[in-house]
Structures are given as structure tokens and as C-alpha cells.
Amino acid sequence: MAWTRDQMAARAAQELRDGFYVNLGIGIPTLVSNFIPPGMSVQLQSENGMLGMGPFPFEGEEDPDLINAGKQTITALPTTSYFSSADSFGMIRGGHIDLAILGAMEVSEKGDLANWMIPGKMVKGMGGAMDLVAGVKRVVVVMDHTAKGQTKLLHHCTLPLTGSAVVDMVITDLGVFTIDKDSGTGMTLIELADGVAADEIKSKTEANFTVAPDLATTAA
């Protein structure tokens, strides 16, 4: 058994703190907006110039003029503000965003991140990912543990990097890892998805990691 996309997003939402300014990447991270704890004040920021995004709209209530950086329709809040993309990147590059929750194609045991290009496939660019991992105070990656049977947690990333030693936490459908980039202790498994054993994670992970002595099992 493994976590669903919603359960992974709910686990990522546990990393939010009251008063945080947060940027959500496309894919699973966008679902985090639906799991912000009641009473918590979190401002969601988007590269295309919006601060204070609400959850996704209900069907039939979409406003085509309100979109996030991934071109998904979103909702506004009474506190929402709008500004240019240049101002948005000024917030990111200036270190004013507390947390970025991003998707990934590969993460290395040292916290390297590859999340923007697969060689041979047409892409329009990495968007704001490189700025985010360089300017945001903390980076959490949410992704499936494997793709087409191949692990996405590696000794070294094989795809072009978005950033080197930038990831602080990885949440997959099988469990949660922290990465201590400063001390060099690397990746630590701190939590298992409900019904998942540590041995299963070891068999599906190339990256070296240690198991926390207080390893937890949580149904997100």
C-alpha cells in the first residue's frame, strides 16, 4: 500500500507554518492548497504575479483570468494581491519565500534536484524552478518513488540539474526523507507511508540513506 496523491499533498501540508509565504510547483504540489490546516495563515505565491491564492475552484465556478504558474484555474482570497512577474521573481530571489514545494523527476542523496528536462523531449524552459531552489529558504519535493519501475532517488542525478544540494525533504508515495546538506550526513528515512515496510523502500531506492531510530508510520 502507498500514499495517494492527495495523501502525499496532505503530508506536505504538515510542513507549513503559520505566517509562511509558500510557492507550490505544478503537479502534486498544487494539491497542498487544499490541505492548509484550519486557522493557519499561509500566503501562496505564484511566479506569474499573485500572492494569496485560494484553493482550486469548484466545477462551473472557474474564472479563466485567475490562473497559477501552471495555467490551472485558482481562486482569490480577500488578501490576494497582484503584481508583475518581475516583482514576483524579486520576492523569490530576495529570499522572501519561506518554503517551496516542488515536483521532481530525480533527487540525489546529496539533495541535487532534476525537475525540468528530459533530453530529447521538447521543453520551453525550466520556468522559475532554478530561481526557487536558489532563493527560497526551504525546499520540499513531492513525487512518486519510482517511474516505470525505476527509482527516482539516486546516488547522482542523470538528468540536467535544476539545482545542486538544494532539497531539504523528499515526500514520496512510500515515505518521507530528510536531507542534511550542511553536515554531510545525507538522506534519512524518517517516516513510512501506511502499510509500507522499510525493506520495500530499500529495494526501490538507489540512494544511500539511514533509517531514523524513531522511524514513524503515518496514514496521512
Side-chain angles (χ1 to χ4, degrees):
M1 187 176 178
W3 282 335
T4 64
R5 290 165 61 92
D6 279 334
Q7 287 174 318
M8 293 160 66
R11 176 59 186 83
Q14 294 179 25
E15 300 306 308
L16 302 174
R17 298 294 182 268
D18 196 53
F20 264 20
Y21 292 89
V22 180
N23 186 289
L24 302 179
I26 62 175
I28 299 173
T30 61
L31 300 174
V32 174
S33 63
N34 295 323
F35 296 97
I36 297 173
M40 179 179 287
S41 175
V42 172
Q43 296 292 324
L44 300 180
Q45 189 258 13
S46 180
E47 296 101 301
N48 60 328
M50 191 173 177
L51 181 66
M53 295 184 292
F56 289 120
F58 292 108
E59 187 174 353
E61 297 180 2
E62 300 92 343
D63 181 344
D65 291 327
L66 285 179
I67 60 171
N68 60 20
K71 299 183 177 63
Q72 297 169 305
T73 53
I74 50 177
T75 59
L77 301 170
T79 57
T80 297
S81 57
Y82 306 92
F83 35 84
S84 73
S85 180
D87 289 332
S88 179
F89 276 92
M91 295 177 186
I92 293 168
R93 294 167 183 164
H96 303 291
I97 307 302
D98 298 288
L99 175 67
I101 302 177
L102 306 174
M105 288 177 278
E106 293 177 349
V107 176
S108 82
E109 60 196 38
K110 295 180 180 179
D112 300 338
L113 172 67
N115 78 339
W116 74 281
M117 190 181 86
I118 297 176
K121 291 193 175 183
M122 180 67 69
V123 292
K124 296 180 180 179
M126 67 169 59
M130 184 170 63
D131 297 271
L132 283 166
V133 298
V136 171
K137 296 173 185 174
R138 188 163 181 257
V139 175
V140 173
V141 164
V142 183
M143 67 179 188
D144 289 327
H145 203 93
T146 61
K148 298 181 179 179
Q150 300 298 313
T151 182
K152 298 171 68 173
L153 291 172
L154 307 170
H155 294 309
H156 306 283
C157 294
T158 63
L159 298 174
L161 291 185
T162 308
S164 178
V166 294
V167 179
D168 298 284
M169 173 177 280
V170 181
I171 299 170
T172 78
D173 52 330
L174 301 182
V176 182
F177 298 82
T178 56
I179 302 177
D180 190 335
K181 309 186 300 290
D182 298 324
S183 70
T185 54
M187 186 176 289
T188 302
L189 176 64
I190 64 167
E191 194 171 320
L192 299 171
D194 189 33
V196 174
D199 285 344
E200 178 182 354
I201 290 182
K202 289 178 181 178
S203 69
K204 295 180 177 179
T205 306
E206 177 189 285
N208 292 321
F209 66 90
T210 58
V211 178
D214 55 348
L215 181 65
T217 299
T218 304

